[in-house]
């Protein structure tokens, strides 16, 4: 770690004891209170879809596995967060797209309902100015992003619908290829060699509306196509460095530099597998789980089963868990090759498996 990391330390250190006498922790805490803290990728809507989960009430991670709610955001001085409307990649059929669209609309509805229910705790943000205003009012700023462009289907006009509902970035693909372009992790390999013809219409329309193009998860070819086509800077809402953890889902130094050259930002995530390279056996077990959902319609039952399986694999390979230092190393690497203005944090909380995060943080304390 270097002094260049100081702006990020407050967020990381917020998990540690607030009564620490460490002067760096104290300094970090002070900065943390002062700056606008933003996490660009959180899967809070996954928990919000669970019956009975109340994002306006404080929860205990050890009890229900959740990592985000408005009271805990306040406690951790997390000012602004992008809640991701996430759909796993199902069949690329009319039926699959209709299902994904309904799923996405339900999640927008859940977020809006929660914000309506708790006007004193949080507010929808659709611009940087909103976030600063909402922070000043002592509330949490909730931005909305969409992880996977699957719910767009073949219908370009859906982009305006999602924009009007508050969506301000779309991650073009998830774990598998969709109609927009190739994913970095599709088990069947590339379909288009980058953006599809439809994807080449999606990018300019997102530019026109003012929806950020998010290149986390996309194949390298899709990344370069999107970067060349976009008139606006692009972001990676939750991506790490391939130089430190060799995996196609992570970004090469050249990609990181290219994002920075266009004025964009790479937001580091806390997913152990993308921070520190797991053994081949561990990776294979995780890949098997991840791919078990591809091509299927997502249901809460399926998501719960996948989360449980993922947790059990994490337990078996607990010794390979990444630590807080690994997170800092990825941030530091981006600072070194692209500059501090081009790095941020997109934790993937509520989307990375609870035991993974708890163990990562527990390990960081030792
Ligand atoms: Zn993701």
């Amino acid at each position: 770690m270097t002094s260049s990391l100081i702006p990020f330390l407050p967020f990381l250190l917020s998990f540690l004891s607030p009564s620490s006498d460490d002067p760096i922790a104290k300094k970090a805490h002070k900065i943390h209170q002062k700056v606008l803290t933003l996490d660009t990728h959180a899967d809070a809507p996954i928990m919000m879809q669970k019956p009975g989960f109340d994002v306006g009430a404080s929860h205990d991670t050890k009890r229900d596995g959740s990592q985000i709610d408005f009271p805990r955001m306040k406690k951790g001085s997390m000012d602004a967060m992008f809640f991701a409307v996430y759909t796993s990649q199902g069949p690329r059929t009319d039926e699959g797209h209709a299902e994904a669209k309904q799923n996405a609309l339900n999640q927008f509805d859940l977020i809006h309902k929660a914000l309506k229910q708790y006007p004193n705790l949080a507010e929808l943000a659709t611009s940087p100015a909103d976030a600063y205003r909402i922070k000043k009012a002592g509330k949490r700023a909730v931005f909305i992003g969409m992880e996977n462009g699957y719910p767009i289907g073949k219908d370009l006009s859906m982009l305006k619908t999602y924009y009007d509902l508050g969506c301000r970035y779309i991650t073009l693909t998830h774990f598998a290829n969709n109609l927009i372009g190739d994913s970095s992790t599709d088990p069947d390999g590339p379909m288009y060699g980058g953006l599809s013809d439809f994807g080449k219409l999606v990018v300019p329309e997102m530019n026109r509306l003012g929806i950020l193009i998010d290149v986390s998860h996309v194949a390298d070819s899709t990344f370069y196509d999107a970067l060349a086509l976009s008139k606006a800077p692009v972001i990676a809402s939750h991506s790490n460095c391939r130089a430190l953890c060799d995996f196609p889902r992570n970004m090469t130094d050249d990609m990181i530099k290219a994002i920075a050259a266009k004025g964009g930002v790479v937001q580091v995530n806390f997913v152990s597998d993308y921070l520190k390279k797991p053994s081949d056996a561990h990776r294979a077990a995780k890949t098997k789980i991840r791919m078990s959902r591809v091509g299927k319609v997502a249901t809460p039952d399926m998501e719960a089963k996948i989360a449980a399986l993922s947790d059990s694999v994490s337990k078996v390979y607990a010794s390979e868990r990444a630590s807080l230092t690994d997170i800092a190393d990825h941030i530091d690497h981006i600072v070194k090759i692209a500059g501090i203005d081009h790095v941020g944090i997109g934790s993937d909380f509520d989307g990375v498996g609870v035991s993974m995060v708890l163990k990562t943080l527990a390990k960081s304390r030792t």
Side-chain angles (χ1 to χ4, degrees), residues 41 43 147 174-175 216-217 238 249 348:
H41 192 84
D43 281 310
E147 182 171 29
H174 194 243
F175 285 138
S216 288
H217 286 286
H238 58 307
R249 160 80 177 81
D348 218 351

Side-chain angles (χ1 to χ4, degrees), residues 57-318:
S58 192
H59 298 255
D60 181 351
T61 308
K62 284 179 196 153
R63 286 176 74 106
D64 66 6
S66 73
Q67 294 163 330
I68 300 163
D69 53 54
F70 298 147
R72 278 185 291 178
M73 283 175 73
K74 186 171 186 178
K75 201 173 166 195
S77 299
M78 174 49 67
D79 299 316
M81 227 173 204
F82 270 88
F83 283 12
V85 168
Y86 157 73
T87 49
S88 61
Q89 184 59 47
R92 292 178 293 259
T93 59
D94 288 348
E95 200 186 20
H97 292 126
E99 184 96 23
K101 176 180 154 185
Q102 198 48 55
N103 185 347
L105 291 173
N106 286 344
Q107 292 183 56
F108 278 107
D109 195 41
L110 273 175
I111 297 169
H112 287 292
K113 274 188 182 145
L115 294 172
K116 208 173 166 189
Q117 192 183 349
Y118 296 105
N120 298 325
L121 298 184
E123 206 180 307
L124 181 71
T126 56
S127 69
D130 279 350
Y132 285 105
R133 175 182 55 75
I134 296 166
K135 174 185 168 74
K136 217 172 167 183
K139 296 191 275 188
R140 308 302 108 199
V142 173
F143 286 94
I144 304 177
M146 178 180 272
E147 182 171 29
N148 196 358
Y150 183 40
I152 299 164
K154 300 174 181 165
D155 183 359
L156 216 52
S157 75
M158 284 312 294
L159 286 167
K160 173 77 164 71
T161 303
Y162 298 137
Y163 176 86
D164 288 342
L165 288 168
C167 179
R168 289 299 179 270
Y169 78 64
I170 295 176
T171 319
L172 298 178
T173 71
H174 194 243
F175 285 138
N177 307 330
N178 59 20
L179 293 192
I180 298 169
D182 290 333
S183 160
S184 60
T185 49
D186 194 303
D188 296 330
M191 279 174 70
Y192 318 99
L195 281 175
S196 67
D197 288 343
F198 179 66
K200 287 173 188 162
L201 299 175
V202 169
V203 169
E205 180 62 2
M206 286 170 70
N207 280 165
R208 188 186 74 78
L209 289 165
I211 302 176
L212 280 165
I213 286 137
D214 177 15
V215 292
S216 288
H217 286 286
V218 305
D220 293 10
S221 51
T222 308
F223 167 88
Y224 285 109
D225 278 356
L227 198 74
L229 190 57
S230 176
K231 287 196 168 69
V234 310
I235 61 159
S237 70
H238 58 307
S239 285
N240 296 343
C241 310
R242 209 177 294 175
L244 302 188
C245 176
D246 188 14
F247 187 60
R249 160 80 177 81
N250 284 343
M251 301 178 74
T252 64
D253 285 0
D254 186 69
M255 290 161 82
I256 293 167
K257 287 177 190 165
I259 275 210
K262 211 178 162 103
V265 184
V266 177
Q267 314 275 140
V268 168
N269 67 50
F270 299 174
V271 183
S272 185
D273 289 5
Y274 306 147
L275 289 163
K276 189 178 165 189
K277 199 175 179 187
S279 62
D280 290 347
H282 185 181
R283 178 78 84 200
K286 281 281 172 65
T287 303
K288 200 174 161 192
I289 293 170
R290 201 166 54 237
M291 291 309 158
S292 67
R293 75 169 91 195
V294 170
K296 292 179 190 142
V297 175
T299 62
D301 254 16
M302 186 181 86
E303 294 296 337
K305 268 183 202 156
I306 284 172
L309 271 173
S310 192
D311 271 3
S312 63
V313 169
S314 294
K315 273 179 196 145
V316 172
Y317 296 98

Side-chain angles (χ1 to χ4, degrees), residues 45-60:
I46 289 181
M47 290 306 297
M48 291 166 75
Q49 288 173 79
K50 296 195 172 168
F53 183 82
D54 182 356
V55 75
S58 192
H59 298 255
D60 181 351

